[in-house]
Amino acid sequence: DKRLNLYDYKQSLLEEYRRKAAAGGGRGVIGLPLGLNMYELLPFWQAFFSALGYRLLISPPSDRALYLEGQSSIPSDTICYPAKLMHGHILRLIEEGAETIFYPCLTYNLDEGLGDNHYNCPVVAYYPEVIAANVPGVEKLRFIYAYLGLHREKDFPGKVWQVLRELTPNLSLREVKAAARAAYDEHRHYLRMIREKGGEIIALARREGRQIIVLAGRPYHIDGEINHGIDQLITGFGAALVTEDAVSHLAAKTPGRVLNQWTYHSRLYAAAHYVRRQPDMNLVQLVSFGCGVDAITTDEVRDILEDSGKIYTQIKIDEIANLGAARIRLRSLLAAI
């Protein structure tokens, strides 16, 4: 039921940004790989580059063939599947003729005020370095993987201007500042749309007397090749589905047992704190194989939920293709409720 599925809404929003990014642009074409943090930052970069007159060439949706295409350049088999997919996304952009690929290193995420700090996890932050060192073909084109700080809204335009001047010498700082304002505004608008739609789904579920599942993970878990349709599985059981970022803003910053220094993880903990107070809500945490940090987040989320008598459910996804085990876990959770 698409009315009750926030994953479906997020994917439709991204398709709209993809359409806007492909329109116009007399300044040239920039390739953008759609994976990891680029899912949530697509609205930001679309608004930014469109305002500057560039057209964005965005890599296609992930699938098994895309993964296999990039598999030979993956240096470590222990890395998470979402990171492994980036190799295929870069190769697809090269195949489609991209002469410039933009994939910056971002140590920090934007600060949502929910944690002790607001880092990206090391894989999200620095995977462009791995791509630069391992993917064949990137050395033959302009691969921009400069270190940028989106969290410093005042400093960002000056830094990104220095980076882009090598690509477009006639680019003015005034243009970049205006484009940056548009990008930050669009990013905030995107997050508001997610929260508003989440609120609508929750209200609809309550009117219809449905259980609400907060499918808590990270922005890139909406990728169909990563989640394997688990959202449709949940709504197929008659429950409503929202994501952690649709409810995390409804919880206050709460001290935990662990150092809470990553933006995406702060949302997980905040969503868990919110869910523990809602009788018709339960949280299911999606975990990627190979995600070292989730060894910590899973224990913390479990503790938050079980302290209030809620059932903690974790589902490992990614390279599995059979959702039989996930189906049993979800059915058990709904039966226990």
Side-chain angles (χ1 to χ4, degrees):
D1 190 338
K2 290 187 174 184
R3 299 173 312 135
L4 300 165
N5 187 343
L6 192 58
Y7 264 36
D8 191 76
Y9 177 71
K10 282 185 172 183
Q11 284 160 345
S12 68
L13 279 184
L14 289 181
E15 278 308 307
E16 180 65 19
Y17 283 111
R18 186 189 284 276
R19 187 188 61 75
K20 287 180 188 172
R27 263 209 166 115
V29 181
I30 292 177
L32 201 78
L34 190 58
L36 292 178
N37 57 336
M38 286 300 195
Y39 267 93
E40 186 162 285
L41 291 176
L42 180 60
F44 182 97
W45 294 122
Q46 180 274 313
F48 179 75
F49 283 116
S50 294
L52 290 176
Y54 295 101
R55 181 167 72 82
L56 283 180
L57 173 64
I58 297 167
S59 59
S62 305
D63 57 22
R64 189 73 180 170
L66 178 140
Y67 163 61
L68 293 172
E69 194 176 327
Q71 191 177 28
S72 62
S73 64
I74 299 168
S76 169
D77 203 43
T78 59
I79 202 72
C80 63
Y81 192 52
K84 291 175 180 177
L85 285 169
M86 289 304 280
H87 294 254
H89 281 282
I90 296 290
L91 286 176
R92 284 290 172 89
L93 288 174
I94 295 171
E95 282 171 20
E96 290 180 21
E99 294 177 3
T100 300
I101 295 177
F102 182 80
Y103 182 25
C105 291
L106 301 171
T107 300
Y108 287 92
N109 206 319
L110 294 156
D111 187 5
E112 296 177 358
L114 292 171
D116 306 314
N117 214 320
H118 48 100
Y119 290 112
N120 280 310
C121 86
V123 173
V124 167
Y126 308 119
Y127 213 71
E129 294 274 9
V130 178
I131 296 293
N134 291 279
V135 175
V138 292
E139 73 283 352
K140 295 174 186 168
L141 48 82
R142 187 183 279 108
F143 183 54
I144 300 172
Y145 61 109
Y147 283 64
L148 296 173
L150 302 191
H151 62 301
R152 296 172 68 100
E153 201 166 330
K154 288 182 180 175
D155 299 335
F156 167 74
K159 182 67 189 286
V160 76
W161 177 57
Q162 296 290 346
V163 171
L164 293 178
R165 271 201 312 178
E166 294 177 23
L167 177 64
T168 309
N170 67 348
L171 195 65
S172 74
L173 181 56
R174 180 180 290 181
E175 282 181 282
V176 173
K177 283 181 176 177
R181 281 194 298 274
Y184 282 106
D185 287 347
E186 190 59 49
H187 181 71
R188 284 187 277 264
H189 174 59
Y190 172 73
L191 293 181
R192 271 198 309 276
M193 286 194 290
I194 299 297
R195 290 165 180 173
E196 286 169 10
K197 187 65 176 180
E200 288 172 20
I201 290 172
I202 290 167
L204 176 61
R206 285 176 172 161
R207 284 199 300 274
E208 297 182 355
R210 297 176 185 270
Q211 282 292 325
I212 300 160
I213 299 294
V214 176
L215 192 57
R218 296 175 175 75
Y220 44 81
H221 283 146
I222 67 167
D223 187 323
E225 176 58 24
I226 294 171
N227 66 56
H228 301 289
I230 198 166
D231 56 317
Q232 292 159 38
L233 193 61
I234 290 169
T235 55
F237 284 135
L241 182 152
V242 296
T243 50
E244 75 292 335
D245 51 351
V247 298
S248 59
H249 66 292
L250 300 171
K253 181 179 174 181
T254 309
R257 298 176 177 87
V258 297
L259 181 61
N260 181 6
Q261 59 179 354
W262 289 285
T263 295
Y264 292 162
H265 308 165
S266 302
R267 291 178 189 168
L268 294 177
Y269 305 147
H273 279 293
Y274 180 72
V275 164
R276 64 188 289 178
R277 301 193 302 272
Q278 310 299 317
D280 56 355
M281 279 190 186
N282 281 274
L283 185 144
V284 172
Q285 186 177 0
L286 288 185
V287 177
S288 291
F289 283 103
C291 178
V293 200
D294 272 344
I296 298 163
T297 67
T298 50
D299 286 349
E300 182 70 0
V301 172
R302 177 190 283 111
D303 287 347
I304 293 167
L305 293 172
E306 292 182 351
D307 279 353
S308 59
K310 290 277 187 183
I311 299 167
Y312 172 71
T313 303
Q314 176 200 114
I315 295 177
K316 281 197 164 125
I317 48 168
D318 293 344
E319 279 143 302
I320 60 157
N322 186 339
L323 282 180
R327 188 183 297 274
I328 293 166
R329 298 287 299 282
L330 291 166
R331 195 174 274 162
S332 301
L333 171 64
L334 292 167
I337 294 164

